[in-house]
Each structure stands twice: as structure tokens, then as C-alpha cells.
Amino acid sequence: MRIRAFTFFSKTYQEVEKAEKLLDNLNKEYNVWTKRISLPPTPKDLSLDKLVEIPSVRNSNDVIYSVASLTADDRRLSQIKDLLSISNRFYANVLVRDVKNLEEITKLILSLEPEDATRFGVLFGDWFLVSPYFPISTADVITSSFGLALLYTDEVMKGNTVRAISYADEIGRKLETELKVKYLGVDVSLSPWMEKSVGEIIERRSEKIFNISNIWTMHELNQEILKASLISKVKPIGFSEVMLPVSEDDVLRRRAEDGSLTLTNLIALTYVCAAGIDMIAITRDKVTILNLMKALYSIRRVKMRPIGMRIVPTSGGKVRSKEFGDIPEVKVI
């Protein structure tokens, strides 16, 4: 098990520098993979270009930032493109509460460069999400605090889910004492990273992806995660469900490339996962992307849980990314 992300939720912009120093001094024994700072919902009277002045992005700094969180009706939506182009450490998200303004979000997505698109997320829900996972992370908190995310596919594969979550919670409580910062809990989402594959877990338990049995398997995984959280007495935050970021999972990537995992399949799996439409390339077509967001909005209304989306438009074929390698284009069927 590894701490995938330590995310500091900064209640105010003034606390960012303090958070950076805190992350610089984070004890290496905890094996934290990524260090992150999430900023509060962007104030209505703040121009997005001013956000650049808040985080001190130093050359030696390995911190990444969720800098902007806007609602779908925000007039500053078009400014996100320029904001993301400034630094590869900047992430942003938009909250969709209803179907209005989806066309503006579609225009924004179509305008983004591939690398920038990987750092922009759409959240379908009622409120901004307090989660360690970027790009859909917002410090919508009462007081500055922190949360953890895990990489624990090996432990789940071996049936050690409770042990992994309990250990992570133990680390969180130790850090709360050491750092004197409130510990919110763990986003216990089961998420992959390349050979640490959620797709492999699903296929070991059911049929090759995609098969209709995968839906039940993912439901069972979610129930195991929930039960393990209760046994561990950990506070789940954020999504806390199975995640399927296709380009971050070797098995999912292969299934998308060979055509056995399509956009329709991923939409079906969204009923039992937090981010079923995540890190895939989709044909650069306004109608397709708009209809996809309407579908996710509908599922969110039925499921009554937040759903995330992160896509990269393509004019044909896979998209090359420095961080993720090849982002496969999924068949729109």
C-alpha cells in the first residue's frame, strides 16, 4: 500500500505558502507519492489570472495545485484555458448542477490542448467535492485540513483491504499530531496506476472487460470498500468508490485499444463507479461530447452520488501524453 496523494485543503489563499512549507517537510517515511494543495471555490469577484499570483510555483517545488473551481454558469469559464496553459502543476474543475451551460463546457473542452485537458475535470453533483483526487478537488472546508488517497490494488487482490485502509488511517492520525493540521479522512477509492491495475482485479473476478458481469463485480468491490472502511473506523471522503481512469490502467488501456471497451460500456459502468469516463480520448465532436455530459448528468441524478469526467478530444486515434503515455480513443458506440 502506498499513499497516492497527500492533499492539503487550504481554507484561504493566505495559507498556501504555509501549506507548501509543510509539504516540503513531510516525513519521507510515510512514502507519499504526490503532494497536493487544493484551493477553495473560486470567489466570484476574482479574475482567474490573479490565481497565478497565489501559489508560489518554485522550480524545486514538487507540489501540484487544484487552483480553480467554478460552477457551470460562471462567466469566467473561458479563462480556464489560459490558466491551465501557464503551468503543468495547475488543475481546474467545473461543477454541473443542471444541464444549463453544458454547451459552454463543451466549447472549453474542445479548445484545450491534450496535456491541459488531462488537468481539467467536470463534476456532476450538488456541491464541490473535498477529495485528494485531482482535478476534481476543492477545499470547500470549514478549516484548513488534509486528506489522503491510496494506491492499494495489490492489497485488494490479496484480500487485505481492511489492513490497507487501517494502516492509511493510522498514518493520517500520526500526521495530524505531527503537523498540527486537522485530518479529514481517506478517499478510499480503488484506483490504478499502470501495472497496478483495477482492470485486472475486475477480470480476475468476472469476465474479460467488457462483459455484463463486470457491473456486478464492481458493485461487490464497492461494498467491500465500504465494509472495510466501517471495520477500520476510517472516515471516507471524496468519491470513495472504484475508479476507472483508462489511461492510468494497463489492462483498461489494452481493452480500449482492442475495441472491447467502448464509450457505451464505460457509461454503463458509471452506475457503479465514481469516474467511469476518465482519461480517455473521444472524437472531437461537439454533439458527442454534449450528449455524453447529458448522459452523465442523468446517471448522477439517478445514482445520487457525484460523478466525474475527464476526456481528451481527438481528431482520430490515440493521443500522446508526457505523463500518461498513449491515451486511447474509445469507440463511440
Side-chain angles (χ1 to χ4, degrees):
M1 190 279 294
R2 189 175 186 184
I3 301 298
R4 182 179 186 130
F6 177 108
T7 301
F8 184 97
F9 302 109
S10 185
K11 171 64 175 176
T12 66
Y13 295 125
Q14 290 72 30
E15 293 188 84
V16 170
E17 187 173 353
K18 168 190 171 183
E20 289 172 336
K21 291 178 181 178
L22 179 149
L23 292 175
D24 280 345
N25 297 320
L26 198 61
N27 197 321
K28 293 182 179 179
E29 74 173 90
Y30 295 120
N31 194 26
V32 174
W33 182 14
T34 61
K35 303 172 184 178
R36 311 178 178 196
I37 296 176
S38 186
L39 300 182
T42 310
K44 295 288 186 183
D45 59 348
L46 183 67
S47 176
L48 296 198
D49 58 2
K50 295 296 182 182
L51 290 170
V52 181
E53 303 170 9
I54 296 167
S56 56
V57 183
R58 297 165 292 171
N59 292 331
S60 61
N61 193 353
D62 57 355
V63 176
I64 59 176
Y65 306 82
S66 179
V67 290
S69 297
L70 306 179
T71 54
D73 60 350
D74 199 302
R75 294 181 179 179
R76 297 166 297 175
L77 202 62
S78 61
Q79 297 177 25
I80 285 180
K81 178 182 178 180
D82 291 336
L83 181 69
L84 293 175
S85 67
I86 292 171
S87 172
N88 61 7
R89 294 179 186 163
F90 285 3
Y91 292 71
N93 64 84
V94 60
L95 172 64
V96 175
R97 291 192 176 109
D98 57 46
V99 294
K100 298 177 182 178
N101 306 104
L102 287 184
E103 288 201 18
E104 291 302 312
I105 299 174
T106 302
K107 290 179 185 178
L108 171 60
I109 292 172
L110 289 171
S111 73
L112 295 176
E113 294 296 324
E115 293 290 347
D116 297 342
T118 67
R119 292 180 282 109
F120 174 69
V122 180
L123 173 66
F124 299 88
D126 290 326
W127 311 103
F128 288 109
L129 198 65
V130 180
S131 170
Y133 281 101
F134 283 21
I136 299 174
S137 175
T138 308
D140 195 7
V141 292
I142 297 174
T143 185
S144 289
S145 45
F146 75 91
L148 306 177
L150 312 180
L151 181 61
Y152 68 119
T153 52
D154 289 346
E155 285 72 19
V156 172
M157 195 88 73
K158 297 173 183 176
N160 294 327
T161 305
V162 173
R163 185 184 303 175
I165 293 176
S166 296
Y167 181 57
D169 190 52
E170 181 182 333
I171 291 174
R173 295 183 187 283
K174 285 182 180 179
L175 285 169
E176 181 177 44
T177 301
E178 292 176 13
L179 303 175
K180 295 180 174 56
V181 177
K182 182 176 177 58
Y183 163 57
L184 285 188
V186 181
D187 189 324
V188 292
S189 294
L190 178 61
S191 64
W193 185 254
M194 306 312 176
E195 75 278 1
K196 305 291 186 181
S197 170
V198 172
E200 182 180 357
I201 294 174
I202 295 170
E203 290 195 338
R204 284 194 180 191
R205 294 187 177 204
S206 60
E207 305 285 343
K208 177 180 175 180
I209 297 176
F210 178 76
N211 181 283
I212 196 67
S213 64
N214 299 159
I215 294 175
W216 174 252
T217 297
M218 288 182 59
H219 170 73
E220 285 189 317
L221 282 169
N222 280 332
Q223 292 303 303
E224 288 179 23
I225 292 169
L226 174 60
K227 183 177 179 180
S229 300
L230 293 172
I231 294 172
S232 306
K233 297 181 180 179
V234 66
K235 181 182 178 182
I237 62 174
F239 288 108
S240 288
E241 286 189 338
V242 177
M243 289 183 166
L244 298 178
V246 175
S247 298
E248 298 179 22
D249 187 308
D250 285 348
V251 170
L252 295 178
R253 189 199 307 267
R254 289 198 297 270
R255 299 297 171 255
E257 289 173 345
D258 69 25
S260 56
L261 182 61
T262 68
L263 183 60
T264 301
N265 302 150
L266 287 167
I267 290 173
L269 290 169
T270 300
Y271 281 97
V272 282
C273 74
I277 311 298
D278 191 14
M279 286 306 300
I280 56 174
I282 291 182
T283 182
R284 186 179 292 276
D285 177 72
K286 177 182 176 181
V287 174
T288 299
I289 295 174
L290 183 59
N291 285 335
L292 170 61
M293 286 195 288
K294 287 179 179 178
L296 293 179
Y297 172 81
S298 301
I299 294 171
R300 176 267 176 280
R301 297 295 296 178
V302 172
K303 187 180 177 185
M304 296 303 292
R305 284 182 61 84
I307 293 175
M309 184 191 84
R310 183 171 40 157
I311 62 173
V312 178
T314 175
S315 298
K318 59 190 175 185
V319 178
R320 186 69 182 172
S321 165
K322 292 179 181 177
E323 182 175 359
F324 302 99
D326 290 336
I327 301 173
E329 179 185 11
V330 296
K331 293 181 179 179
V332 182
I333 58 172

